[in-house]
Amino acid sequence: MKIILRVLVTAAAFWVATRVVPGIHVEASIGSFLVVAVIFGIVNAVVRPVAKLLSLPVRIFTLGLFTFVINALMLMLTDWLAGAAMSIEGGFLTQLFRALVGSIVISVASTLIAWIIPGED
C-alpha cells in the first residue's frame, strides 16, 4: 500500500512540475503520469545511489551542491526511458537547467503532498 501511495504522490508531483516548469511535458493522461512516476522511482532506487557513490569526491568538494545536478540527471534519464510519455525540451544545457528546476519542484511538491496525505511517512 505504501508503494502505491508513493507512486501516486510522485505522479502528483510530476503534474505540479509540468504546470510550473516550462519545457517539461508529460502526456496528458493519468496513466502516463503513473508510468513516469514508476520509472522515476526505479531510476532513483537503482541508478541514483550508484551515481551518488561515484560522485562522492565532487559532492564533498562542492559541499553537497552537486547532488542537485545528480537529481537533474536522474530526471533526464527518466525522460529518456519514458520515451513519448515525457519530454524535456531544448538542447542539453537547456534540458539540464529545466531538469534541475523540475527536480527541485518535484522534491518540494512530493514533500508537501506527502504531508497532506495521512499515513504517508
Side-chain angles (χ1 to χ4, degrees):
M1 183 65 178
K2 271 189 156 189
I3 293 174
I4 294 171
L5 192 58
R6 190 75 223 157
V7 168
L8 291 174
V9 167
T10 304
F14 265 99
W15 180 81
V16 170
T18 60
R19 298 294 174 230
V20 173
V21 182
I24 295 181
H25 304 286
V26 175
E27 190 178 304
S29 71
I30 295 172
S32 294
F33 280 102
L34 292 174
V35 166
V36 169
V38 167
I39 292 171
F40 188 65
I42 292 170
V43 165
N44 277 332
V46 176
V47 179
R48 188 169 183 251
V50 174
K52 285 181 80 171
L53 180 65
L54 292 176
S55 67
L56 187 60
V58 177
R59 287 189 309 127
I60 290 171
F61 183 71
T62 62
L63 302 175
L65 292 176
F66 193 73
T67 304
F68 289 117
V69 175
I70 292 171
N71 291 343
L73 293 172
M74 295 305 106
L75 189 59
M76 290 174 70
L77 180 60
T78 301
D79 169 38
W80 182 72
L81 291 172
M86 179 182 174
S87 68
I88 301 175
E89 296 175 351
F92 178 76
L93 289 178
T94 305
Q95 283 184 336
L96 185 63
F97 178 73
R98 288 179 175 161
L100 181 65
V101 174
S103 66
I104 293 169
V105 169
I106 289 169
S107 296
V108 169
S110 64
T111 300
L112 293 175
I113 294 167
W115 281 349
I116 294 169
I117 296 175
E120 175 70 13
D121 294 327

